[in-house]
Amino acid sequence: TNHTSKMSNSIEGKNVATLAANTAKLNSVRTIAAVASGSAAGVLGFQSLYGFVFYIVVAAILSLILAVVAGNKATVWFLSESDFLTGGVVGNMFTYVLFWTLVYGMVHIY
């Protein structure tokens, strides 16, 4: 029975609680980057496609930095390398757009 309880708390031999904590921390990093880059896009006055391209570039640079820092250990700390490199990018786009439009309105409209 002890073996069964250990198996229910793991995915592919990884601890579910550790995977969840690592994913939450990565999402926090991506959220902070979305807030900072959205604010920067607002201050710089980016409009329409330029703002979205800016987000994609910032997200790609962040993924590159994370990949360099993690080396080949990303699959040890996360379920897959693709989750590590792209997880939360689409979801944090909404945060980016919120801060982009908020700061743009405060700086360039009011």
Side-chain angles (χ1 to χ4, degrees), residues 16-96:
V16 174
T18 303
L19 289 174
N22 292 343
T23 302
K25 288 176 185 175
L26 179 63
N27 195 35
S28 295
V29 169
R30 290 202 181 275
T31 300
I32 291 167
V35 168
S37 61
S39 299
V43 168
L44 294 171
F46 290 146
Q47 295 179 354
S48 74
L49 190 58
Y50 293 111
F52 287 106
V53 169
F54 183 70
Y55 176 71
I56 292 168
V57 168
V58 168
I61 290 170
L62 179 61
S63 291
L64 181 65
I65 291 169
L66 291 171
V68 168
V69 169
N72 59 358
K73 294 184 180 182
T75 55
V76 173
W77 300 323
F78 296 91
L79 194 56
S80 70
E81 192 169 351
S82 65
D83 284 345
F84 173 68
L85 294 176
T86 62
V89 171
V90 175
N92 280 316
M93 185 178 283
F94 298 111
T95 303
Y96 170 82

